[in-house]
């Protein structure tokens, strides 16, 4: 199996309960076969089945049904636990590093959503079946041995070449599954990226070129998927061949032995009930491995997904240690470097808190880039940043930052949940939330939508650009964090509303350090310091 580094992802442990329940299915099959054999023997001698045979048949059948049901439930619970751990391990690193890594949104979405879903079959079905299938054939062979040690040897002999063939197929399957996962990730990234840019694609009449790109990626996925399926069909064919060979050899031996037609001296005395019992269990000998082969595609997908997650996490630096809020935050000749090589700077500033500090400059000059650099999303290529005279590590203050960017992230849910992310604080903060929304001129909108229980979607449907921006500001203000980073807080607002927002910012700056990128001349005039960012 492809094993991700233990420090990056939780290990894919086998759920012992699910494996034991799958073994319980084999025990039920042994009881069922024994009951049928006893019924045959009793019917041959007495003309009817005895009570013991009927009890074994009913008990064995019920126990098999319960074992299969409980194995599925236990496996699914194990898969859900693993998926929850994977989400905790993935989401925070992916979110904090996407800008720095330069990944397409669709690629990260595929990793965070689809890849985690692909692990379900691996944990719920394949891993418990693999443990059970390593013991189930031996259990069946041991059960057959008292009835016929020859048949037990026949079953075990056919198992050896099967294991060798499956081991060879497994190596090729792992490589093809990894290639398929990469192709799916690329297709997802392209599709989401092009969908987000659809208005621009239509404006530049680039539909044919984009369709060509997506078509090429889709054909690559199809080709790699067919390679994976080819190996899956080959491994299934190997299994079915040896399973059929095993049953055929047992049937031929039983028939020839009962008829006295063996071409060599009979190694044992085989009766009809014993032969019937052994023949009934011959099919069960390979049943666990048949189930394992059916789940093999889940294994391929799950291991490829785990490898992709571990590979991506290995490229993400761990978050820096939290630092104390500085009284003086200073930058000297700082040059920012984007992933495509674009540089911003040199920039110098000296911010003292509390107070309002403005980043000013023309559109596209790099004001937003500096805010992103402070939280670790854009690399600092040159210069020095210090906090109270000590070297500052970008991102080390993120736990103390209230952020309001130009693009406001909304979650599907109530207005209250979007403004106060901590569920335990939602209701107690209703009065403070309503007061803050009123200060930002959102009271009319709130009343029109039905109050804090009003539902909104992730797009903010029905909200204007200015309303979405002020919701982001309200969330930052209500966070009570001592450092606020705000990107164009008064953009898209009429003068009256902008004046209310400026007044709220002035109040915040009395007790917090507020860093805002802005073109607003009135807001710039209120600032304690202004850092000019040249184009």
């Amino acid at each position: 199996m492809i094993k991700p580094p233990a420090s990056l992802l939780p290990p894919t442990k086998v759920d012992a309960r699910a494996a034991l329940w799958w073994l319980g299915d084999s025990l039920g099959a042994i009881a069922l076969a024994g009951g049928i054999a006893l019924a045959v023997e009793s019917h041959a001698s007495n003309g009817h089945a005895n009570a013991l045979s009927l009890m074994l048949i009913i008990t064995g059948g019920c126990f098999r049904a319960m074992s299969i049901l409980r194995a599925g439930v236990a496996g699914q619970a194990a898969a859900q636990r693993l998926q929850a751990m994977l989400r905790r391990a993935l989401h925070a690193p992916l979110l904090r590093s996407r800008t720095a890594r330069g990944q397409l949104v669709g690629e990260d979405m595929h990793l965070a959503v689809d890849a985690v879903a692909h692990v379900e079959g691996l944990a719920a079905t394949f891993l418990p079946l693999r443990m059970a299938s390593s013991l189930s054939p031996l259990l069946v062979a041991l059960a057959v041995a008292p009835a016929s040690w020859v048949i037990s040897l026949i079953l075990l002999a056919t198992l050896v070449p099967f294991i060798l063939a499956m081991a060879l197929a497994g190596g090729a399957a792992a490589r093809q599954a990894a290639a398929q996962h990469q192709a799916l990730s690329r297709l997802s990234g392209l599709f989401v990226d092009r969908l987000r840019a659809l208005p621009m694609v239509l404006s530049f009449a680039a539909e044919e070129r984009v369709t060509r790109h997506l078509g090429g990626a889709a054909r690559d996925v199809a080709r790699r998927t067919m390679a994976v399926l080819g190996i899956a069909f080959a491994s299934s064919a190997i299994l079915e061949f040896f399973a059929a060979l095993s049953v055929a050899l047992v049937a031929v031996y039983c028939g020839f032995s009962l008829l006295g037609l063996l071409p060599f001296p009979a190694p044992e005395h085989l009766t009809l009930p014993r032969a019937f019992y052994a023949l009934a269990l011959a099919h069960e000998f390979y049943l666990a491995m048949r189930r394992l082969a059916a789940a093999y595609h889940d294994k391929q997908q799950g291991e490829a997904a785990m490898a992709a997650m571990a590979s991506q996490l290995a490229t993400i630096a761990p978050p820096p240690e939290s630092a104390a809020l500085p009284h003086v935050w200073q930058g000297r000749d700082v040059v920012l470097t984007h992933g495509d090589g674009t540089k911003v700077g040199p920039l110098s500033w000296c911010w003292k808190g509390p107070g309002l500090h403005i980043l000013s400059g023309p559109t596209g000059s790099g004001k937003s880039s500096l805010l992103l650099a402070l939280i670790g999303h854009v690399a600092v290529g040159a210069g020095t940043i210090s906090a109270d005279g000590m070297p500052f590590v970008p991102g080390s203050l993120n736990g103390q930052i209230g952020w309001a960017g130009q693009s406001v992230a909304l979650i599907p849910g109530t207005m209250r949940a979007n403004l106060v992310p901590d569920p335990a604080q939602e209701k107690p903060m209703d009065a403070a939330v309503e007061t803050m929304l009123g200060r930002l001129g959102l009271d009319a909108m709130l009343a029109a939508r039905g109050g804090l229980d009003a539902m909104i979607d992730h797009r903010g449907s029905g909200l204007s650009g200015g309303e979405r921006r002020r919701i982001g500001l309200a969330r930052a203000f209500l966070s009570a964090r001592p450092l606020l980073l705000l990107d164009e807080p008064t953009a898209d607002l009429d003068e009256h509303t902008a004046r209310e927002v400026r007044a709220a910012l002035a109040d915040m700056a009395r007790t917090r350090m507020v860093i805002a990128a802005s073109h607003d001349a009135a807001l710039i005039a209120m600032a304690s310091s202004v850092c000019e960012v040249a184009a």
Side-chain angles (χ1 to χ4, degrees):
M1 186 197 301
I2 301 170
K3 294 185 183 295
S7 59
L8 299 179
L9 290 176
T12 49
K13 295 181 180 178
V14 182
D15 187 80
R17 289 173 300 175
L20 287 173
W21 279 116
W22 284 119
L23 278 176
D25 176 52
S26 296
L27 291 174
I30 293 169
L32 189 59
I36 295 174
L38 284 176
V40 170
E41 183 179 30
S42 177
H43 193 275
S45 58
N46 303 322
H48 59 82
N50 59 26
L52 178 59
S53 64
L54 292 176
M55 184 180 71
L56 282 173
I57 291 171
I58 294 171
T59 303
C62 291
F63 190 72
R64 290 197 76 178
M66 183 183 70
S67 295
I68 294 171
L69 174 63
R70 296 302 304 170
V73 171
Q76 196 63 43
Q80 289 174 354
R81 289 193 298 271
L82 176 60
Q83 287 176 315
M85 289 189 290
L86 287 173
R87 292 187 185 101
R88 287 195 294 271
L90 273 173
H91 288 183
L94 289 178
L95 286 170
R96 74 166 184 266
S97 65
R98 191 190 70 80
T99 307
R101 287 180 292 114
Q103 293 287 108
L104 295 174
V105 173
E107 290 179 306
D108 277 0
M109 285 178 61
H110 175 75
L111 201 65
V113 179
D114 296 336
V116 173
H118 289 164
V119 174
E120 179 181 338
L122 173 67
T125 307
F126 181 82
L127 292 179
L129 277 174
R130 187 175 64 176
M131 177 179 280
S133 65
S134 65
L135 298 174
S136 180
L138 300 178
L139 187 63
V140 172
L142 285 173
V144 170
S148 171
W149 63 268
V150 175
I151 293 175
S152 183
L153 286 179
I154 292 172
L155 294 174
L156 291 173
T158 59
L159 187 62
V160 176
F162 163 77
I163 293 173
L164 293 175
M166 291 300 290
L168 292 174
R175 291 189 295 272
Q176 294 296 341
Q180 182 204 29
H181 190 275
Q182 290 174 355
L184 278 169
S185 177
R186 179 172 176 268
L187 177 60
S188 297
L190 280 173
F191 181 76
V192 173
D193 182 69
R194 301 307 184 264
L195 193 63
R196 292 177 69 198
L198 188 58
M200 188 176 296
V201 170
L202 296 174
S203 299
F204 286 90
E207 301 95 324
E208 184 178 347
R209 184 174 61 183
V210 169
T211 302
R212 235 180 8 254
H213 289 167
L214 290 172
R219 284 190 294 273
D220 188 39
V221 170
R223 179 173 59 83
R224 296 182 187 278
T225 300
M226 290 305 296
V228 171
L229 291 176
I231 294 174
F233 289 142
S235 61
S236 295
I238 293 169
L239 173 63
E240 291 302 325
F241 171 77
F242 283 105
L245 178 64
S246 173
V247 174
L249 288 174
V250 170
V252 168
Y253 172 76
C254 289
F256 279 35
S257 181
L258 290 173
L259 295 173
L261 298 177
L262 288 173
F264 49 84
E268 61 184 357
H269 176 64
L270 191 65
T271 63
L272 177 61
R274 290 186 176 189
F276 196 95
Y277 171 73
L279 190 58
L281 286 179
H283 170 76
E284 297 294 334
F285 183 79
Y286 273 98
L287 180 59
M289 284 176 284
R290 279 178 163 168
R291 287 171 174 158
L292 187 67
Y296 204 74
H297 185 61
D298 293 332
K299 168 193 181 283
Q300 294 170 336
Q301 278 194 324
E303 291 185 351
M306 291 289 287
M309 286 184 270
S311 175
Q312 189 62 252
L313 286 179
T315 67
I316 300 174
E321 292 185 10
S322 297
L325 184 71
H327 297 289
V328 179
W329 205 1
Q330 193 166 10
R332 293 181 181 177
D333 300 323
V334 174
V335 177
L336 311 178
T337 305
H338 287 274
D340 60 1
T342 304
K343 296 183 183 298
V344 176
L347 305 172
S348 297
W349 67 87
C350 182
W351 300 325
K352 297 179 180 180
L356 173 64
H357 307 279
I358 298 294
L359 305 176
S360 179
T363 300
S365 60
K367 301 185 298 297
S368 299
S369 297
L370 179 52
L371 294 178
L372 290 170
L374 296 174
I375 62 173
H377 283 207
V378 175
V380 177
T384 59
I385 305 178
S386 63
D388 289 335
M390 301 296 292
F392 170 74
V393 180
S396 60
L397 290 174
N398 286 3
Q400 303 183 66
I401 291 175
W403 175 273
Q406 294 190 45
S407 178
V408 179
L410 298 173
I411 57 173
T414 64
M415 184 72 71
R416 180 187 291 106
N418 273 274
L419 292 165
V420 186
D422 183 1
Q425 296 295 320
E426 285 181 6
K427 288 289 186 180
M429 288 189 64
D430 275 2
V433 169
E434 290 173 352
T435 300
M436 181 58 69
L437 293 179
R439 290 198 62 186
L440 297 177
L442 289 172
D443 44 355
M445 178 277 295
L446 190 67
R449 295 180 73 97
L452 293 175
D453 290 318
M455 300 298 293
I456 57 176
D457 59 23
H458 68 284
R459 297 185 183 88
S461 300
L463 296 171
S464 68
E467 287 172 338
R468 285 195 294 271
R469 190 180 299 273
R470 280 177 285 164
I471 288 174
L473 284 172
R475 181 163 55 201
F477 294 166
L478 289 164
S479 69
R481 294 186 173 185
L483 177 58
L484 300 179
L485 299 185
L486 314 175
D487 199 352
E488 300 289 355
T490 58
D492 302 324
L493 304 179
D494 59 71
E495 180 53 35
H496 172 72
T497 306
R499 188 162 52 248
E500 292 180 327
V501 171
R502 286 194 291 268
L505 285 171
D507 286 346
M508 294 293 152
R510 291 191 179 95
T511 56
R512 309 190 203 183
M513 183 184 289
V514 182
I515 316 297
S518 181
H519 294 94
D520 186 345
L523 186 60
I524 293 172
M526 296 165 49
S528 304
S529 71
V530 178
C531 174
E532 291 288 344
V533 182

